[in-house]
């Protein structure tokens, strides 16, 4: 007989439909069967397992657009099981993995490997991007048709930008044939040889700068190519005020573009780099305060569609070196929800808008329109969280194999209590 | 020294040779030092200048102490200067050169530091091609660390010896106009000098083509010039910087010839500075590139060799101060 579980006494939140109501949600097997205020007015039958949410929020599980999960080849930084545990602890029920692995995921075999490992791990749903160009070298486009058939949710060279304009033009045109989007971390590499944001702090520290212009120029160029090809384009990791403005104009023009940012870009600035703190060496680099504010404003008005974890696990040896030699990136799966909720606490975003940026919107961007929402008959991918509960991030306690968080010791509000994937509880907080 | 707690005030006038100390455990940069602290170092160095010029330059202030010069980047002058400074104070000085390019850099840095730390050193003098490397080392060792030049960040003892040179000629730094000319972008010497001169109340100008200036340099308290004639006008001090020849191949500058024409220091350009302006250069010089040979060797104007001499005394003062017990509150 199908397992039935009811989550009672919850604040049901579904950003896709605008639902924000006290009630219960019934799961049958791996599906949502029923939800609302008046389920079982005469009491829940004993055959149904009941979970009392004690007034906590119940929302669709988070959908993360951008994570690195270490396999294949980088298992010393992260594995699919460790990334999955980390995601589950962060309330993420589905994630899309970047192809920056060793080897690069640029063929069907690579995609199948990730799919098999994800099935074996069976915690959260793992989708994979395929590289837009072979070996993410930026020269020849991959077999996008075959890769799309094999399940690639989109194409991207991940941490490196597709810099050659001719290759980008062809990738955009070709991918759109298969209904796929090109995901680009826009950064002109010739203007980005440094290790932190260009400006006074970089100059004082004697570090090479990465100019905001590196992002803006590439973004503007890409948008021209989108206009030219009619392709689908998503800009990942928007970090500058001017980038927000560029995207705003492109959307006003009606271009098929979306974009995301990640918590460091609305929660931190270049000042946090301090005295060569390598955990704050990110790509794109942390920017100035005016940029940070513009990112918040972009999220509030919807110019920036989504927030991702931009999870980049790095081992100690990659970070415990002089700043210029250190690897870029920070882990982010477990801090995505509390830092996004921080914007709600500060009054910058309404709760449903903040949740939309990490649930239904990223799901739609990936073309996974059944995910990231609470719908009858839809998959029971859920997160139960207490939006007010304070806690302190502790790098050492993260589930990820790598501990390179840039939010270590930061007090946050909003705690994941339980994560459910296809009706199965994959994470439950133990006090 | 960014973000270090507010240093306790130092009273240079209390100085009776032994009593004063720096409220810092390491010397990683000029940024973060105060004017009294800088004066303390310079006052002590002044005394060592006299000692070095005397018939018995050696003392036993650091007898039984161990100073290691750990150089990840080639350097003859600075390393020799530190070695001599340590030996003149009676310390055991050991030189270690590590070729940064032949090994996996990061591992070597930490591993070498931990290895040296296990040998109970008193002072580690570090030069490294990466900005921030001495700071990283300082967090891993128990001894005092002196930054002998890190990447494009700082070279504090060079700025201190420049300050001592200026002070001995001009009496004080306050109110002087100092023009720092040349490759500011890649220069740690320029950054340390900008900090120091600002702390001491001098007016600082930087003079360079825009391709050799780092972004937002104007935010560091300097006046920016792209024209030597304007930049040198009425300057008290002309500090030339070394131009790395490999940066001349069209990446930053079109040619050596063009650079010398517009930015090389010759008598024509020098004529705009004050008649008693001093000419300084951290060495080694590229004669005919950033400085005309005749100007460099002009015994009435150039203090380049004196900078070298005073460098030993300044480093003696730094070694002395950092090994005084109360200068290391963290131990």
């Amino acid at each position: 007989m199908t397992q039935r579980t009811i989550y009672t006494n919850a604040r049901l939140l579904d950003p896709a439909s605008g639902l924000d109501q006290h009630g219960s949600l019934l799961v049958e097997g791996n599906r949502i069967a029923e939800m609302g205020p008046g389920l079982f007015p005469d009491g829940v039958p004993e055959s149904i397992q009941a979970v009392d949410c004690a007034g906590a929020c119940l929302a669709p599980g988070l959908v993360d657009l951008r994570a690195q999960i270490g396999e294949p080849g980088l298992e010393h930084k992260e594995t699919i099981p460790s990334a999955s545990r980390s995601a589950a602890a962060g309330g993420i029920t589905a994630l899309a993995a970047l192809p920056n692995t060793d080897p690069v995921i640029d063929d069907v075999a690579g995609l199948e490997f990730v799919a098999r490992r994800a099935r074996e791990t069976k915690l959260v749903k793992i989708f994979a991007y395929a590289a837009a160009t072979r070996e993410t070298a930026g020269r020849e486009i991959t077999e996008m048709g075959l890769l799309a058939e094999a399940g690639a949710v989109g194409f991207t060279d991940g941490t490196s930008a597709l810099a050659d304009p001719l290759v980008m033009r062809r990738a955009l045109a070709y991918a759109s044939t298969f209904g796929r989007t090109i995901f680009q971390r826009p950064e002109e590499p010739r203007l980005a040889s440094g290790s932190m944001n260009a400006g006074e702090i970089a100059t004082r520290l004697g570090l090479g700068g990465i100019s905001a212009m590196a992002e803006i120029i590439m973004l503007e160029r890409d948008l021209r190519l989108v206009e030219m090809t009619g392709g689908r384009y998503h800009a990942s990791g928007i970090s500058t005020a001017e980038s927000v403005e560029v995207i705003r104009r492109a959307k006003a023009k009606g271009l098929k573009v979306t974009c995301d940012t990640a918590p460091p870009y609305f929660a931190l600035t270049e000042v946090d780099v301090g005295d060569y703190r390598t955990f704050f060496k990110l790509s794109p680099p942390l920017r100035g305060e005016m940029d940070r504010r513009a990112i918040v404003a972009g999220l509030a008005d919807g110019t920036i569609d989504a927030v991702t974890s931009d999870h980049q696990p790095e081992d100690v040896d990659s970070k415990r070196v002089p700043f210029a030699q250190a690897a870029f990136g920070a882990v982010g799966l477990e801090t995505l929800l509390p830092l996004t909720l921080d914007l709600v606490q500060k009054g910058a975003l309404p709760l449903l808008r903040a949740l939309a940026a990490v649930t239904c919107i990223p799901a739609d961007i990936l073309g996974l329109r059944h995910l990231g929402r609470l719908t009858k008959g839809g998959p029971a991918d859920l997160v139960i969280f207490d939006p007010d509960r304070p806690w302190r991030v502790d790098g050492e306690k993260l589930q990820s194999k790598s501990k390179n968080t840039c939010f270590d010791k930061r007090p946050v509000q909003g705690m994941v209590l339980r994560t459910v994937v296809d009706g199965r509880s994959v994470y439950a907080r133990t006090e | 020294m960014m973000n270090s707690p507010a240093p306790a005030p130092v009273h240079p006038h209390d100085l009776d040779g032994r009593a004063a100390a720096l409220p810092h455990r390491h010397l990683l940069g000029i940024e973060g030092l105060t004017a009294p602290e800088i004066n303390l170092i310079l006052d002590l160095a002044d005394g060592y200048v006299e000692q070095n010029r005397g018939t018995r330059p050696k003392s036993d202030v650091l007898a039984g102490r161990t100073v290691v010069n750990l150089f990840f980047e080639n350097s003859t002058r600075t390393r020799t200067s530190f070695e001599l400074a340590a030996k003149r104070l009676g310390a055991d000085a050991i030189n270690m050169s590590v070729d940064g390019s032949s090994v996996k850099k990061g591992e070597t840095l930490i591993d070498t530091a931990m290895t040296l730390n296990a040998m109970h050193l008193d002072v580690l003098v570090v030069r490294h091609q990466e900005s921030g490397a001495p700071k990283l080392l300082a967090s891993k060792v128990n001894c005092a660390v002196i930054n002998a030049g890190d990447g494009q960040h700082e070279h504090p003892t060079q700025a201190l010896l420049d300050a001592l040179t200026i002070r001995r000629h001009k009496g004080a730094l306050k109110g002087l106009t100092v023009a720092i000319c040349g490759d500011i972008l890649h220069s740690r010497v320029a950054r340390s000098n900008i900090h120091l001169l600002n702390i001491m109340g001098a007016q600082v100008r930087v003079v360079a083509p825009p391709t050799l200036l780092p972004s937002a340099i104007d935010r560091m308290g300097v006046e920016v010039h792209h024209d030597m004639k304007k930049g040198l006008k009425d300057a008290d001090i002309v500090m030339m910087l070394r131009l790395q020849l490999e940066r001349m191949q069209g990446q930053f500058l079109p040619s050596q010839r063009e650079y010398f024409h517009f930015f090389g220091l010759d008598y024509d350009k020098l004529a705009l500075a004050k008649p008693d302006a001093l000419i300084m250069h951290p060495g080694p010089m590229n004669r005919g590139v950033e400085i005309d040979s005749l100007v460099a060797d002009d015994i009435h104007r150039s203090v380049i060799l004196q900078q070298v001499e005073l460098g030993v005394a300044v480093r003696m003062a730094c070694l002395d101060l950092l090994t005084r017990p109360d200068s290391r509150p963290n131990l």
Side-chain angles (χ1 to χ4, degrees), chain A residues 2 13 26 103 117 166 179 248 392 410:
Chain A
T2 314
L13 294 164
L26 177 67
R117 291 284 292 147
L166 182 60
R248 194 174 280 135
R392 197 177 279 274
R410 184 183 174 107

Side-chain angles (χ1 to χ4, degrees), chain A residues 88-360:
Chain A
I92 294 165
T93 53
L95 64 83
L98 293 184
N100 303 103
T101 47
D102 186 14
V104 165
I105 297 177
D106 58 3
D107 60 12
V108 170
L111 278 181
E112 285 175 348
F113 170 81
V114 174
R116 176 172 65 75
R117 291 284 292 147
R119 272 199 309 278
E120 287 167 5
T121 305
K122 210 187 168 195
L123 280 169
V124 302
K125 294 174 179 171
I126 293 179
F127 298 90
Y129 295 105
T133 67
R134 283 182 209 274
E135 295 185 343
T136 62
R139 287 189 293 271
E140 309 153 54
I141 56 174
T142 50
E143 296 169 320
M144 292 182 176
L146 295 175
L147 287 161
E149 273 185 11
V153 285
F155 297 98
T156 179
D157 280 357
T159 52
S160 50
L162 228 172
D164 185 323
L166 182 60
V167 178
M168 183 48 127
R169 176 186 156 185
R170 288 178 178 152
L172 279 166
Y174 197 73
S176 67
T177 327
F178 303 100
R180 291 294 188 274
T181 302
I182 299 291
F183 292 74
Q184 164 96 315
R185 157 88 278 282
E187 187 173 81
E188 169 51 55
R190 294 286 290 159
L191 292 175
S193 56
S195 50
M196 73 172 289
N197 188 37
E200 184 187 353
I201 296 177
T203 294
R204 282 179 187 272
L205 293 173
L207 295 170
I210 300 173
S211 159
M213 210 45 77
E215 179 170 304
I216 299 158
I217 285 174
M218 187 61 92
L219 194 55
E220 290 194 316
R221 181 210 72 173
D222 286 347
L223 293 169
R224 293 287 173 190
L225 294 172
V226 171
E227 208 170 349
M228 180 183 183
T229 57
R232 288 160 48 152
Y233 177 82
H234 177 90
S236 306
I238 290 301
S239 68
T240 83
E242 185 60 23
S243 306
V244 178
E245 198 44 47
V246 169
I247 295 273
R248 194 174 280 135
R249 285 199 299 268
K251 286 186 165 181
K253 238 181 185 178
L255 294 187
K256 276 184 266 178
V257 295
T258 49
C259 71
D260 68 54
T261 190
Y265 307 106
F266 58 73
L268 303 171
T269 67
E270 59 182 340
V271 173
D272 291 292
V273 170
D275 239 355
Y276 304 101
R277 298 198 291 172
T278 57
F279 278 17
F280 295 81
K281 180 176 177 182
L282 306 178
S283 175
L286 291 171
R287 307 285 188 186
E289 174 62 14
M290 296 318 285
D291 295 301
R292 190 196 68 77
R293 290 185 195 184
I295 296 296
V296 174
L299 278 167
D301 72 12
T303 302
I304 301 177
D305 301 272
V307 180
T308 79
S309 73
D310 200 7
H311 183 75
Q312 294 189 52
E314 288 297 342
D315 56 301
V316 172
D317 290 339
S318 305
K319 286 288 192 182
R320 208 178 57 177
V321 291
F323 198 88
Q325 293 171 358
F328 286 97
V331 292
L333 292 169
E334 283 158 80
T335 45
L336 173 59
L337 181 62
L339 287 159
T340 304
L341 290 175
D342 197 41
L343 294 174
V344 179
Q345 298 284 356
K346 292 195 168 115
L349 297 186
L351 179 58
L352 282 180
R353 162 66 193 130
L355 285 176
V358 289
T359 56
C360 54

Side-chain angles (χ1 to χ4, degrees), chain A residues 190 198-209 271 274-276 317 319-325, chain B residues 2-3 31 105-106 109-110 128 130-133 135-136 140 152-153 191 195 214-217 219-220:
Chain A
R190 294 286 290 159
E200 184 187 353
I201 296 177
T203 294
R204 282 179 187 272
L205 293 173
L207 295 170
V271 173
D275 239 355
Y276 304 101
D317 290 339
K319 286 288 192 182
R320 208 178 57 177
V321 291
F323 198 88
Q325 293 171 358
Chain B
M2 286 175 70
N3 296 346
E31 192 172 23
K105 293 168 187 169
L109 181 61
I110 298 274
H128 199 280
E130 295 292 359
S131 303
K135 166 83 190 170
L136 180 62
K140 303 285 171 195
Q152 298 161 14
H153 176 224
R191 284 171 177 78
H195 289 307
S215 61
I217 184 73
R219 301 282 296 274
M220 284 182 71

Side-chain angles (χ1 to χ4, degrees), chain B residues 11-296:
Chain B
H11 303 290
H13 305 299
D14 297 349
L15 186 68
D16 61 2
R18 300 283 79 191
L22 277 182
H24 300 286
R25 197 175 157 204
H26 309 292
L27 179 62
L28 301 178
I30 298 294
E31 192 172 23
L33 294 184
T34 62
E37 289 164 17
I38 289 166
N39 276 323
L40 171 69
I41 299 170
L42 299 184
D43 291 347
L44 189 61
D46 254 332
Y48 281 124
V49 174
E50 303 316 317
Q51 180 183 315
N52 288 341
R53 285 177 181 173
T55 48
R56 298 177 64 190
K58 196 162 169 174
S59 62
D60 59 358
V61 173
L62 261 69
R65 305 279 202 155
T66 308
V67 176
V68 169
N69 292 322
L70 179 59
F71 278 60
F72 291 87
E73 207 179 57
N74 285 335
S75 156
T76 312
R77 300 164 162 258
T78 307
R79 203 203 61 213
T80 309
S81 182
F82 268 109
E83 184 180 358
L84 200 53
K87 287 183 169 161
R88 290 232 169 114
L89 293 171
D92 297 318
I94 295 156
N95 292 325
M96 280 192 65
S97 293
V98 185
D99 181 359
S101 62
S102 68
V103 279
K104 281 185 85 177
K105 293 168 187 169
E107 285 174 9
T108 302
L109 181 61
I110 298 274
D111 293 347
T112 310
M114 299 309 277
T115 306
L116 289 170
N117 195 44
M119 298 179 194
H120 302 292
L121 314 181
D122 294 287
V123 183
L124 190 57
V125 177
V126 185
R127 168 166 289 191
H128 199 280
Q129 61 274 23
E130 295 292 359
S131 303
K135 166 83 190 170
L136 180 62
L137 278 179
S139 68
K140 303 285 171 195
V141 297
N142 297 319
C143 62
V145 174
I146 296 179
N147 179 4
D150 62 328
Q152 298 161 14
H153 176 224
E154 283 228 40
H155 190 354
T157 57
Q158 178 71 44
L160 287 164
L161 74 87
D162 289 344
L164 185 63
T165 308
I166 297 170
R167 208 176 74 162
R168 287 174 72 97
H169 280 271
K170 302 285 183 188
L173 287 94
K174 194 173 171 67
L176 296 177
T177 298
V178 182
I180 306 175
C181 314
D183 185 359
I184 312 288
L185 177 63
H186 299 99
S187 178
R188 52 198 176 210
V189 174
R191 284 171 177 78
S192 284
N193 266 310
I194 290 168
H195 289 307
L196 188 144
L197 293 165
N198 271 311
I199 293 165
M200 303 307 282
Q203 309 297 315
V204 189
R205 297 177 188 164
V206 294
V207 191
T211 49
L212 291 179
L213 286 170
S215 61
I217 184 73
D218 55 309
R219 301 282 296 274
M220 284 182 71
V222 300
E223 206 176 279
V224 179
H225 290 274
H226 306 305
D227 178 345
M228 281 286 267
K229 293 194 170 146
K230 288 180 186 154
L232 294 194
K233 185 154 174 46
D234 298 326
D236 296 287
I237 310 290
V238 181
M239 272 188 191
M240 301 306 296
L241 297 173
R242 175 180 167 78
L243 185 72
Q244 304 285 332
L245 293 172
E246 64 269 21
R247 299 196 170 119
M248 306 262 310
Q249 317 299 324
Q251 286 260 330
F252 294 94
L253 298 166
S255 74
Q256 193 166 314
R257 186 174 75 159
E258 178 156 320
Y259 183 74
F260 185 75
H261 181 76
F262 290 101
F263 294 97
L265 185 66
D266 55 20
Y267 279 113
D268 282 350
K269 296 182 190 107
L270 184 59
L272 290 149
K274 283 192 181 155
D276 61 347
L278 300 181
I279 299 162
M280 305 178 73
H281 193 297
M285 285 181 283
N286 295 306
R287 290 167 180 270
V289 179
E290 70 262 1
I291 189 164
D292 182 272
S293 243
L294 292 175
V295 174

